[in-house]
Amino acid sequence: MFKALVIDNDEQGYRTTLKELDESQLPDHDVTLDVSYSTLNYKDALAICNKGPIVRTFPMVPGIDFVGRVIASRHGAWQEDDAALLTGWGVGEKQWGGLAQKASVSGDWLVEVPAALSPLQTMAIGTAGLTAMLCVLALEKQGVTPQQGPVLVTGASGGVGSFSVSLLARLGYQVIASSGRGHDSDYLIKILGAASVINRAELQQPGKPLAKERWAAAIDSVGSHTLSNVLAGTQRDGVVAACGMAQGLDLPASVAPFILRGVTLAGVDSVMCPKPLRQQAWQRLASLVDSDLLEQMTQVIPLSEAKNGAQDLLDGKVRGRLIIDCR
């Protein structure tokens, strides 16, 4: 038997409950793991609190990432006692996820835990850190350098935003952090390394097709009017990496930034990201992430508190990363 957070949706309604399950109830995949840690991501919170159409089948164990040790494997790349982590691939949406003490997944979805990182550190990084690193790689692929000017990060107090600010700062970029939490300015500047902070209200409302050129590049996890305004304020030949939809899925924008300033909009998908790119991103993360900073960015809670933690995340009460101890 093992404990798992389970989402049901039937004649009794939509509900999320901590349950005791038998191992025979696990999906029939080729690798089974004892889960050590998972994290609460924005997508998990939406699913747990029924605030968005995240879950595709029921019952569902949420949790889009986790780390653990292999206890059974029919996959050639994985043996018993191997340390492995998983992010994305529809886990926690279409496949049972990591907010449980055990998980059964395809071995093709797993990545080896980098030698420089502990299991706890990998989940302190988790999907948010991986997504941030993929955004940084997308900017680098387009040739963005620190010498070209500042880089804007929206949603800077959240998981993806916090990592984006810290990674860019460590790489020598001047970071403008956009946040709606005025009390987080010291955290963003003194802890994460942002050069300045602007209030997200500057970007949230409908804006003009083009605005003053303020940043050479940007990482946006917000979408909607915020992304439109980010594009409008991007310098000529700048790059915007878009990876989220906290404000909305819509993009009420103009083609003006693209055809008049040559701005590039680079989409970043961490869910179905190819394994070689995942491995590259994790190796970069292992070399760039500061362990002391990582500890300051994270809070650990037990699996029994995951449901309440999800509501706190949606209410904007969580800064940085919320790790779930599943042991």
mmCIF file of all heavy atoms in Angstrom, residues 33-51:
data_model
loop_
_atom_site.group_PDB
_atom_site.id
_atom_site.type_symbol
_atom_site.label_atom_id
_atom_site.label_comp_id
_atom_site.label_asym_id
_atom_site.label_seq_id
_atom_site.Cartn_x
_atom_site.Cartn_y
_atom_site.Cartn_z
ATOM 1 N N LEU A 33 8.863 3.346 -9.473
ATOM 2 C CA LEU A 33 9.799 4.048 -8.582
ATOM 3 C C LEU A 33 9.162 4.334 -7.231
ATOM 4 O O LEU A 33 7.947 4.527 -7.120
ATOM 5 C CB LEU A 33 10.232 5.379 -9.192
ATOM 6 C CG LEU A 33 10.853 5.387 -10.584
ATOM 7 C CD1 LEU A 33 9.796 5.683 -11.630
ATOM 8 C CD2 LEU A 33 11.981 6.421 -10.679
ATOM 9 N N ASP A 34 10.011 4.338 -6.200
ATOM 10 C CA ASP A 34 9.652 4.943 -4.920
ATOM 11 C C ASP A 34 9.898 6.435 -5.063
ATOM 12 O O ASP A 34 11.031 6.857 -5.341
ATOM 13 C CB ASP A 34 10.521 4.386 -3.784
ATOM 14 C CG ASP A 34 9.983 3.078 -3.220
ATOM 15 O OD1 ASP A 34 8.767 2.840 -3.322
ATOM 16 O OD2 ASP A 34 10.797 2.308 -2.669
ATOM 17 N N VAL A 35 8.871 7.238 -4.902
ATOM 18 C CA VAL A 35 8.989 8.674 -5.073
ATOM 19 C C VAL A 35 9.512 9.320 -3.788
ATOM 20 O O VAL A 35 8.975 9.082 -2.703
ATOM 21 C CB VAL A 35 7.639 9.302 -5.460
ATOM 22 C CG1 VAL A 35 7.770 10.822 -5.596
ATOM 23 C CG2 VAL A 35 7.120 8.691 -6.759
ATOM 24 N N SER A 36 10.547 10.115 -3.910
ATOM 25 C CA SER A 36 11.093 10.838 -2.760
ATOM 26 C C SER A 36 10.435 12.206 -2.622
ATOM 27 O O SER A 36 9.908 12.559 -1.572
ATOM 28 C CB SER A 36 12.607 11.014 -2.908
ATOM 29 O OG SER A 36 13.267 9.776 -3.057
ATOM 30 N N TYR A 37 10.484 12.980 -3.711
ATOM 31 C CA TYR A 37 9.956 14.334 -3.685
ATOM 32 C C TYR A 37 9.217 14.641 -4.985
ATOM 33 O O TYR A 37 9.551 14.121 -6.050
ATOM 34 C CB TYR A 37 11.085 15.372 -3.519
ATOM 35 C CG TYR A 37 11.912 15.201 -2.281
ATOM 36 C CD1 TYR A 37 13.143 14.552 -2.329
ATOM 37 C CD2 TYR A 37 11.476 15.694 -1.048
ATOM 38 C CE1 TYR A 37 13.920 14.390 -1.198
ATOM 39 C CE2 TYR A 37 12.237 15.535 0.097
ATOM 40 C CZ TYR A 37 13.464 14.883 0.012
ATOM 41 O OH TYR A 37 14.221 14.725 1.153
ATOM 42 N N SER A 38 8.227 15.492 -4.867
ATOM 43 C CA SER A 38 7.586 16.106 -6.018
ATOM 44 C C SER A 38 7.527 17.602 -5.726
ATOM 45 O O SER A 38 8.082 18.062 -4.734
ATOM 46 C CB SER A 38 6.191 15.513 -6.236
ATOM 47 O OG SER A 38 5.582 16.052 -7.400
ATOM 48 N N THR A 39 6.889 18.356 -6.599
ATOM 49 C CA THR A 39 6.719 19.785 -6.332
ATOM 50 C C THR A 39 5.306 20.196 -6.700
ATOM 51 O O THR A 39 4.612 19.485 -7.427
ATOM 52 C CB THR A 39 7.701 20.650 -7.148
ATOM 53 O OG1 THR A 39 7.629 20.261 -8.516
ATOM 54 C CG2 THR A 39 9.107 20.497 -6.658
ATOM 55 N N LEU A 40 4.899 21.329 -6.189
ATOM 56 C CA LEU A 40 3.619 21.909 -6.591
ATOM 57 C C LEU A 40 3.886 22.987 -7.631
ATOM 58 O O LEU A 40 4.511 24.007 -7.329
ATOM 59 C CB LEU A 40 2.885 22.510 -5.390
ATOM 60 C CG LEU A 40 1.967 21.576 -4.616
ATOM 61 C CD1 LEU A 40 1.325 22.307 -3.450
ATOM 62 C CD2 LEU A 40 0.891 20.970 -5.512
ATOM 63 N N ASN A 41 3.444 22.735 -8.845
ATOM 64 C CA ASN A 41 3.545 23.705 -9.917
ATOM 65 C C ASN A 41 2.178 24.353 -10.132
ATOM 66 O O ASN A 41 1.157 23.864 -9.641
ATOM 67 C CB ASN A 41 4.001 23.009 -11.199
ATOM 68 C CG ASN A 41 5.387 22.430 -11.071
ATOM 69 O OD1 ASN A 41 6.385 23.125 -11.210
ATOM 70 N ND2 ASN A 41 5.477 21.133 -10.784
ATOM 71 N N TYR A 42 2.163 25.431 -10.868
ATOM 72 C CA TYR A 42 0.910 26.142 -11.123
ATOM 73 C C TYR A 42 -0.113 25.210 -11.779
ATOM 74 O O TYR A 42 -1.295 25.209 -11.431
ATOM 75 C CB TYR A 42 1.180 27.351 -12.011
ATOM 76 C CG TYR A 42 0.009 28.295 -12.140
ATOM 77 C CD1 TYR A 42 -0.351 29.137 -11.089
ATOM 78 C CD2 TYR A 42 -0.741 28.353 -13.313
ATOM 79 C CE1 TYR A 42 -1.421 30.015 -11.199
ATOM 80 C CE2 TYR A 42 -1.813 29.223 -13.433
ATOM 81 C CZ TYR A 42 -2.148 30.050 -12.376
ATOM 82 O OH TYR A 42 -3.213 30.913 -12.494
ATOM 83 N N LYS A 43 0.352 24.396 -12.709
ATOM 84 C CA LYS A 43 -0.556 23.465 -13.384
ATOM 85 C C LYS A 43 -1.125 22.441 -12.407
ATOM 86 O O LYS A 43 -2.314 22.090 -12.472
ATOM 87 C CB LYS A 43 0.185 22.761 -14.531
ATOM 88 C CG LYS A 43 -0.708 21.919 -15.424
ATOM 89 C CD LYS A 43 0.087 21.243 -16.534
ATOM 90 C CE LYS A 43 0.550 22.218 -17.568
ATOM 91 N NZ LYS A 43 1.194 21.542 -18.723
ATOM 92 N N ASP A 44 -0.299 21.963 -11.472
ATOM 93 C CA ASP A 44 -0.789 21.039 -10.444
ATOM 94 C C ASP A 44 -1.874 21.696 -9.606
ATOM 95 O O ASP A 44 -2.899 21.082 -9.294
ATOM 96 C CB ASP A 44 0.357 20.608 -9.518
ATOM 97 C CG ASP A 44 1.457 19.862 -10.239
ATOM 98 O OD1 ASP A 44 1.145 19.043 -11.118
ATOM 99 O OD2 ASP A 44 2.631 20.106 -9.926
ATOM 100 N N ALA A 45 -1.637 22.951 -9.223
ATOM 101 C CA ALA A 45 -2.597 23.665 -8.383
ATOM 102 C C ALA A 45 -3.931 23.832 -9.101
ATOM 103 O O ALA A 45 -4.998 23.664 -8.500
ATOM 104 C CB ALA A 45 -2.034 25.012 -7.973
ATOM 105 N N LEU A 46 -3.886 24.161 -10.393
ATOM 106 C CA LEU A 46 -5.118 24.274 -11.172
ATOM 107 C C LEU A 46 -5.882 22.958 -11.169
ATOM 108 O O LEU A 46 -7.118 22.937 -11.025
ATOM 109 C CB LEU A 46 -4.795 24.688 -12.611
ATOM 110 C CG LEU A 46 -4.276 26.102 -12.845
ATOM 111 C CD1 LEU A 46 -3.854 26.268 -14.292
ATOM 112 C CD2 LEU A 46 -5.328 27.138 -12.486
ATOM 113 N N ALA A 47 -5.160 21.851 -11.327
ATOM 114 C CA ALA A 47 -5.806 20.536 -11.358
ATOM 115 C C ALA A 47 -6.389 20.165 -9.998
ATOM 116 O O ALA A 47 -7.547 19.727 -9.901
ATOM 117 C CB ALA A 47 -4.802 19.480 -11.811
ATOM 118 N N ILE A 48 -5.613 20.338 -8.947
ATOM 119 C CA ILE A 48 -6.038 19.942 -7.608
ATOM 120 C C ILE A 48 -7.263 20.736 -7.166
ATOM 121 O O ILE A 48 -8.187 20.193 -6.549
ATOM 122 C CB ILE A 48 -4.871 20.124 -6.612
ATOM 123 C CG1 ILE A 48 -3.782 19.082 -6.891
ATOM 124 C CG2 ILE A 48 -5.355 20.003 -5.170
ATOM 125 C CD1 ILE A 48 -2.481 19.350 -6.167
ATOM 126 N N CYS A 49 -7.304 22.015 -7.511
ATOM 127 C CA CYS A 49 -8.388 22.900 -7.061
ATOM 128 C C CYS A 49 -9.495 23.065 -8.107
ATOM 129 O O CYS A 49 -10.389 23.894 -7.925
ATOM 130 C CB CYS A 49 -7.814 24.259 -6.683
ATOM 131 S SG CYS A 49 -6.609 24.206 -5.338
ATOM 132 N N ASN A 50 -9.421 22.287 -9.194
ATOM 133 C CA ASN A 50 -10.454 22.329 -10.237
ATOM 134 C C ASN A 50 -10.624 23.739 -10.795
ATOM 135 O O ASN A 50 -11.752 24.236 -10.936
ATOM 136 C CB ASN A 50 -11.787 21.796 -9.706
ATOM 137 C CG ASN A 50 -12.803 21.540 -10.835
ATOM 138 O OD1 ASN A 50 -12.432 21.402 -12.006
ATOM 139 N ND2 ASN A 50 -14.083 21.489 -10.481
ATOM 140 N N LYS A 51 -9.514 24.368 -11.134
ATOM 141 C CA LYS A 51 -9.554 25.712 -11.676
ATOM 142 C C LYS A 51 -9.178 25.776 -13.148
ATOM 143 O O LYS A 51 -9.003 26.853 -13.702
ATOM 144 C CB LYS A 51 -8.613 26.625 -10.871
ATOM 145 C CG LYS A 51 -8.994 26.807 -9.418
ATOM 146 C CD LYS A 51 -10.364 27.457 -9.263
ATOM 147 C CE LYS A 51 -10.693 27.703 -7.798
ATOM 148 N NZ LYS A 51 -12.033 28.337 -7.642
#
